[in-house]
Amino acid sequence: MPSRVALLFPPTTDPRAPRLPLPWLAATLRGAGVATSLHDLDILGLLALLRPEALRAAGEVVRRKARARAGDSIRRLARLSESIPERIEGAIGAFRDLGRFLDPHDRTASRDLMLDALDLVSAASPRPVRYSIETMGYDVEGVDPTRFADLVRVTGDPEANLFREFWETEVFPGLAREAPEVVGVSISVRQQLLPGLMLARSLRARGHFVVIGGNLFTRFAGRLAELPEFFDVFADAVVVYEGETAILELLARREGGRDLAGVPNLLSRDGRRVRVGPCHV
């Protein structure tokens, strides 16, 4: 077996409720003797955007935009931009202190401040982006995530990626030091699609062997089987349905230099077509 696997959970879901599939998969891999690291980039990405220094930089951009145009939303955020960086750590603290969390007024005020902070970060983006943990979404203006051409275009645009600086300064260097043989990216819900594919594409461009899994792609297994171009851009392989059997077999074959044909639940490119492994549940 390869000595190391990294499992990444991208933004954007509800950061208060970490999902269990990746910890379960990590337990399976570790039980088989594979050193496995877990990276919850959902909560870590959120906290990176909410750092006071990041919010101050976003505030400067929004105030410049407010001076250039008179939209009500931008003007409101410009007014708030001076105070948000000073108050954000206190707001985050309300979700880490039981007494404050159980105070409905404190919790609501803290949550509203966090939502304003994310609106500030979104408004400062060079390209119109909307990231929110209220209705859980990451949307880029003019992008239809059901169109493959749009996905290819937007995931290659650094100006559409709010997490770019965090990934490039912290996540990617950490993975380079870790040097995993395989990097798994779990995309469970549609709100993760854009940041998840941005992450997978960036990792692949850096030379990692990238495997995408998660419930969202299981739903579209039939469509992926007809889209070999997906594997040129985003992933070396996709695991649909359960991943435990698939990932262990994939690791064994890669270590032995063997072909991936027949790996259960695995989709990968084979020349001009997509090779689909047998279904295992």
Side-chain angles (χ1 to χ4, degrees):
M1 287 287 179
S3 61
R4 189 169 295 278
V5 169
L7 300 177
L8 279 59
F9 191 68
T12 45
T13 68
D14 187 340
R16 300 167 299 176
R19 293 172 177 254
L20 296 180
L22 280 191
W24 181 283
L25 180 57
T28 300
L29 292 171
R30 290 166 180 163
V34 179
T36 305
S37 62
L38 280 168
H39 305 263
D40 186 350
L41 302 186
D42 191 10
I43 183 64
L44 293 178
L46 170 65
L47 293 175
L49 295 183
L50 295 181
R51 290 170 181 166
E53 61 271 23
L55 293 173
R56 291 189 189 98
E60 291 177 3
V61 174
V62 168
R63 289 192 294 274
R64 286 199 300 269
K65 288 185 176 183
R67 289 192 291 269
R69 66 174 189 248
D72 291 343
S73 176
I74 291 291
R75 286 205 307 268
R76 173 181 174 274
L77 290 172
R79 289 195 300 270
L80 294 173
S81 64
E82 297 282 4
S83 63
I84 287 177
E86 309 307 319
R87 299 165 57 204
I88 192 63
E89 291 182 342
I92 294 172
F95 293 86
R96 293 173 166 164
D97 179 275
L98 181 59
R100 293 187 61 195
F101 183 79
L102 294 178
D103 181 331
H105 301 292
D106 192 350
R107 184 179 68 248
T108 299
S110 297
R111 181 172 179 271
D112 288 346
L113 181 64
M114 292 173 67
L115 295 176
D116 284 338
L118 290 180
D119 284 345
L120 182 67
V121 171
S122 298
S125 173
R127 185 164 177 181
V129 175
R130 166 73 170 167
Y131 167 39
S132 177
I133 58 172
E134 181 176 26
T135 54
M136 302 301 158
Y138 190 101
D139 302 297
V140 180
E141 186 176 292
V143 172
D144 180 353
T146 67
R147 290 175 51 85
F148 181 67
D150 280 15
L151 291 178
V152 172
R153 186 173 66 255
V154 73
T155 57
D157 182 359
E159 293 189 343
N161 184 359
L162 295 181
F163 304 98
R164 180 189 178 199
E165 182 177 353
F166 169 57
W167 291 351
E168 291 189 346
T169 59
E170 299 181 44
V171 176
F172 297 152
L175 286 174
R177 291 189 295 271
E178 189 177 323
E181 284 81 2
V182 171
V183 177
V185 178
S186 178
I187 302 178
S188 298
V189 295
R190 65 173 179 82
Q191 292 90 341
Q192 287 179 292
L193 184 60
L194 294 187
L197 290 182
M198 289 173 181
L199 178 64
R201 183 172 183 171
S202 297
L203 290 166
R204 197 151 187 255
R206 283 163 173 76
H208 292 287
F209 187 92
V210 176
V211 179
I212 292 177
N215 181 52
L216 183 65
F217 281 86
T218 294
R219 300 179 201 173
F220 297 101
R223 180 71 183 96
L224 278 177
E226 302 171 351
L227 196 64
E229 298 84 0
F230 181 91
F231 299 86
D232 293 334
V233 180
F234 296 114
D236 296 279
V238 174
V239 173
V240 295
Y241 306 108
E242 67 182 52
E244 290 77 16
T245 303
I247 197 71
L248 287 172
E249 181 65 20
L250 180 147
L251 295 175
R253 293 195 183 204
R254 276 181 54 80
E255 184 183 30
R258 291 180 288 155
D259 192 85
L260 299 181
V263 175
N265 298 344
L266 191 77
L267 282 67
S268 59
R269 181 147 188 177
D270 182 16
R272 296 184 179 180
R273 66 182 184 90
V274 176
R275 178 171 46 203
V276 181
C279 181
H280 175 82
V281 178

